[in-house]
Amino acid sequence: MILINLLPHREAARKRRVEVFNLSLGVAAVMGGLIAGGIYLWFEAQISVQQARNLTLQMENRRLDGQIKEIATLEQEIVALRARQQAVEDLQADRNLPVHLLAELVRQLPDGVYVTSMRQENQNVTLQGVAQSNERVSELLRNLANNTPWFSKPELVEIVAGSVALSSRDQRRVSNFTMRVRLMRASEAEKAAQMSADAAQAVPVAATAAATPAKK
């Protein structure tokens, strides 16, 4: 006997394939949603962690800014204290400056040079005097510039020819001069004296090294 299937099997198979495809599509959509949700939650967690770190950094920055301001204030106070200390030390040292001024000026005056007046304003000293010749004035300038740590930057303001009457018949030509010089503080004079001593010690050493023949 021959059996003939008259049911629409092609439509049924097509329907089953559509149902399987729709089911697969639904499962894929659910899996995609779960994966997307997981990725979103992971990013949210990372963002929260980074925000917490940023907040911690901001708080530390504020704390460090406060410490920096305190350090800057302390540094300013230290600088002010050092300035006051230096001022007190300079005042104590400056009490003996007139003594050093007169004593050193006497030592540096060449023969034939006489100081007639002297005026001091802060560290600047103006000298007026009489010299037997212009060469004596030049010698005084060299002495004040090179031979003492207590004076610096001597400057000749003017020099004028004049005459001095030693008697009714004896008149001598002289040079009337005015010069300015800077009086060094005690600390500055000590530094200048130390530098001169170091330079004086270095010159013999250099001369000895130059005179020693090189060994072959």
Side-chain angles (χ1 to χ4, degrees), residues 141-213:
L141 286 172
R142 288 193 299 270
N143 290 345
L144 295 179
N146 303 321
N147 296 342
T148 172
W150 288 99
F151 295 106
S152 67
K153 300 179 180 179
E155 177 187 2
L156 181 63
V157 178
E158 68 174 355
I159 184 168
V160 180
S163 61
V164 174
L166 299 180
S167 64
S168 59
R169 297 182 178 180
D170 188 6
Q171 291 189 352
R172 301 286 181 88
R173 294 183 61 84
V174 295
S175 297
N176 298 314
F177 66 89
T178 301
M179 67 175 57
R180 282 193 296 263
V181 64
R182 185 177 184 274
L183 179 62
M184 305 289 282
R185 295 184 182 275
S187 58
E188 296 173 338
E190 291 176 0
K191 291 180 181 179
Q194 184 63 38
M195 292 176 62
S196 298
D198 294 341
Q201 291 177 358
V203 169
V205 173
T208 303
T212 301

Side-chain angles (χ1 to χ4, degrees), residues 8 14 30 41 63 69 91 122 141 172 184 191 202:
R14 187 180 299 109
V30 172
L41 293 176
R63 185 175 64 84
K69 291 180 180 179
L91 286 175
N122 297 325
L141 286 172
R172 301 286 181 88
M184 305 289 282
K191 291 180 181 179

Side-chain angles (χ1 to χ4, degrees), residues 30-179:
V30 172
M31 292 298 295
L34 292 175
I35 293 172
I39 294 174
Y40 174 78
L41 293 176
W42 183 80
F43 276 113
E44 284 293 325
Q46 293 297 318
I47 291 172
S48 299
V49 171
Q50 189 61 44
Q51 288 177 347
R53 291 176 180 173
N54 293 340
L55 181 60
T56 302
L57 290 175
Q58 291 175 358
M59 294 175 62
E60 288 296 322
N61 287 335
R62 294 193 189 98
R63 185 175 64 84
L64 290 176
D65 289 339
Q67 292 179 352
I68 291 172
K69 291 180 180 179
E70 293 178 357
I71 292 173
T73 303
L74 290 175
E75 289 179 348
Q76 293 176 356
E77 293 178 356
I78 290 172
V79 171
L81 288 174
R82 288 179 177 173
R84 286 197 291 269
Q85 180 183 0
Q86 186 64 41
V88 172
E89 292 177 354
D90 290 339
L91 286 175
Q92 291 178 349
D94 289 349
R95 291 184 302 177
N96 298 324
L97 279 183
V99 177
H100 293 298
L101 170 61
L102 295 176
E104 198 66 23
L105 187 59
V106 170
R107 279 194 290 266
Q108 301 305 325
L109 277 178
D111 295 334
V113 178
Y114 306 92
V115 175
T116 58
S117 68
M118 179 173 56
R119 185 176 68 255
Q120 179 180 358
E121 296 179 2
N122 297 325
Q123 301 303 116
N124 298 317
V125 179
T126 302
L127 302 174
Q128 290 182 338
V130 179
Q132 291 179 352
S133 63
N134 293 345
E135 289 75 14
R136 300 292 186 179
V137 178
S138 300
E139 184 179 356
L140 176 59
L141 286 172
R142 288 193 299 270
N143 290 345
L144 295 179
N146 303 321
N147 296 342
T148 172
W150 288 99
F151 295 106
S152 67
K153 300 179 180 179
E155 177 187 2
L156 181 63
V157 178
E158 68 174 355
I159 184 168
V160 180
S163 61
V164 174
L166 299 180
S167 64
S168 59
R169 297 182 178 180
D170 188 6
Q171 291 189 352
R172 301 286 181 88
R173 294 183 61 84
V174 295
S175 297
N176 298 314
F177 66 89
T178 301
M179 67 175 57

